[in-house]
Amino acid sequence: MSDQEISWLTLALRSRETSKWKLDLAFLLSRDEVRATIAARIRDNAEARWIARSVHASGRTFREKDMEHYALQRGWHPQGKFWVPIEEPLSLPSPNGVKNAEVTFKLKSILFGSIAIEVTAGGARLDLVLDDVRDYPITFARFVQVLTAGGLPHAAMTDETWCDIVINDGPEPDQCRLLIDNTYPGREACIDTFTDRKRLVDAFRKLAWEIGDHPYFAHHFLYHGLPIDEYTRVAEAHDKDWAAGLQQGIYPDDIDVEDALLASRIVEGLTLPADWDDETARFRKMMRSLEIPPDWQLRFGLRAIVTIEEVAYLIEPPNRAA
């Protein structure tokens, strides 16, 4: 961080007096200031969690809305004047007219930076999309982890944080209430239902496993479009072959067929750097086992900042996972 850069540091702070959480935004110019600010927040509050640090050239404007968006991406929700982390219950309005239904998830595809999921509950159906830039598999894994442990998680974890997914208690001990409220323009839909908790846990765990086990998870989501030179090489070669095949009548004039062929060629013809293998393996293991690496827990605001060593780790430039 140079003197020509400004660091916007966002933390979540839990008050000793109220046990409530608030977001804290600081404008800082050096690593020493970042370090000192985090240390002071830890000292003055019951708990401090890292949300994000954004570094820009001097003169760039950082809005409060940006800070809130970072928090939403990590499973936090506003409630009144305070914020609620993913593992603490989020209150919902009274369930007037909510009925029982079995909930199912179908992993439709992982293609070109998007994970497409179909949700059904009774006669209702909606589509969800995880975006490779704005929706994080770490948040998804934490949601399912909390649900599996018997908690009541919530997160805006799909459709670029436009979709709220909230679990509350149901009318019976073995039930829970599931609300999926998607307000993404063009995909507006809502499911609000009581459902069997164990079956819902099994459905979410199966979906998480299928995502982590999918052969396209790395190329088409974790590293979509990367490395740029290799991706461009494969895409340009495909474009030439497709144009020639279309002219010769080898390929049908069908955009879905073309996309499917390009998708497979990216996986088969694009070699990811060997030093990305460890990160890929960590992501796949996390989705299958719901065990989130401790350093990702720290950087995603899933646990408190405690030690000086953790502060030093956090002020280093984020890795690809964060």
Side-chain angles (χ1 to χ4, degrees):
M1 185 189 304
S2 74
D3 290 339
Q4 299 305 310
E5 294 176 330
I6 296 177
S7 178
W8 287 276
L9 176 66
T10 303
L11 301 173
L13 307 175
R14 184 164 64 85
S15 165
R16 287 195 180 94
E17 290 74 26
T18 66
S19 295
K20 302 290 188 180
W21 292 91
K22 285 190 174 183
L23 296 186
D24 177 70
L25 179 64
F27 299 83
L28 308 163
L29 290 171
S30 70
R31 290 182 184 273
D32 286 343
E33 286 182 303
V34 173
R35 187 180 295 108
T37 297
I38 295 175
R41 299 299 191 268
I42 293 172
R43 181 186 66 241
D44 297 338
N45 293 273
E47 188 175 346
R49 296 191 192 180
W50 175 275
I51 299 297
R53 177 170 67 88
S54 184
V55 179
H56 297 293
S58 298
R60 283 285 300 275
T61 301
F62 188 90
R63 302 167 299 170
E64 186 172 330
K65 189 175 181 181
D66 298 318
M67 173 183 72
E68 294 175 352
H69 184 70
Y70 283 131
L72 285 169
Q73 287 178 313
R74 287 153 174 78
W76 293 75
H77 269 112
Q79 191 150 70
K81 298 185 297 182
F82 303 104
W83 283 75
V84 184
I86 191 171
E87 76 278 6
E88 295 181 8
L90 184 73
S91 299
L92 289 175
S94 230
N96 295 324
V98 175
K99 297 180 179 179
N100 295 331
E102 183 172 357
V103 178
T104 65
F105 300 103
K106 177 183 177 182
L107 176 58
K108 296 171 65 178
S109 65
I110 301 181
L111 290 174
F112 308 117
S114 295
I115 299 176
I117 300 164
E118 180 184 279
V119 187
T120 60
R125 173 189 170 278
L126 61 81
D127 293 316
L128 303 178
V129 177
L130 273 74
D131 174 77
D132 67 319
V133 175
R134 298 175 180 85
D135 300 315
Y136 296 136
I138 294 172
T139 305
F140 185 93
R142 178 58 174 157
F143 181 98
V144 183
Q145 183 189 63
V146 173
L147 179 64
T148 301
L152 302 172
H154 55 88
M157 62 185 179
T158 72
D159 294 84
E160 302 177 19
T161 71
W162 286 77
C163 182
D164 293 319
I165 305 179
V166 185
I167 305 291
N168 270 195
D169 283 327
E172 302 294 336
D174 60 348
Q175 287 186 317
C176 61
R177 179 184 177 187
L178 170 67
L179 171 69
I180 304 178
D181 188 14
N182 193 355
T183 59
Y184 190 93
R187 291 200 290 266
E188 297 93 339
C190 180
I191 284 176
D192 192 358
T193 187
F194 296 128
T195 192
D196 182 87
R197 184 182 182 96
K198 184 181 182 303
R199 289 181 181 176
L200 184 66
V201 169
D202 290 345
F204 265 114
R205 293 200 65 150
K206 180 175 180 287
L207 177 61
W209 179 281
E210 289 175 346
I211 291 172
D213 205 46
H214 199 285
Y216 286 11
F217 183 45
H219 286 78
H220 281 278
F221 191 79
L222 297 180
Y223 314 114
H224 171 55
L226 298 174
I228 294 174
D229 291 345
E230 276 289 286
Y231 192 92
T232 301
R233 176 187 63 78
V234 173
E236 288 180 348
H238 165 81
D239 289 343
K240 290 179 182 178
D241 175 72
W242 182 264
L246 200 60
Q247 188 174 23
Q248 297 167 25
I250 299 173
Y251 300 135
D253 188 8
D254 187 319
I255 187 64
D256 291 333
V257 174
E258 181 182 6
D259 283 349
L261 182 59
L262 173 58
S264 66
R265 284 173 167 170
I266 288 170
V267 174
E268 295 164 4
L270 193 157
T271 302
L272 298 174
D275 58 356
W276 295 4
D277 289 349
D278 179 61
E279 185 178 86
T280 302
R282 294 177 90 198
F283 270 113
R284 289 192 184 278
K285 180 181 178 182
M286 177 187 71
M287 298 302 286
R288 293 165 177 153
S289 69
L290 304 180
E291 297 173 3
I292 304 171
D295 55 327
W296 291 0
Q297 292 179 34
L298 184 66
R299 192 173 288 284
F300 265 71
L302 303 180
R303 67 177 179 89
I305 309 167
V306 178
T307 67
I308 297 298
E309 290 76 17
E310 289 175 343
V311 174
Y313 165 76
L314 287 168
I315 65 176
E316 292 302 316
N319 61 24
R320 197 168 15 251

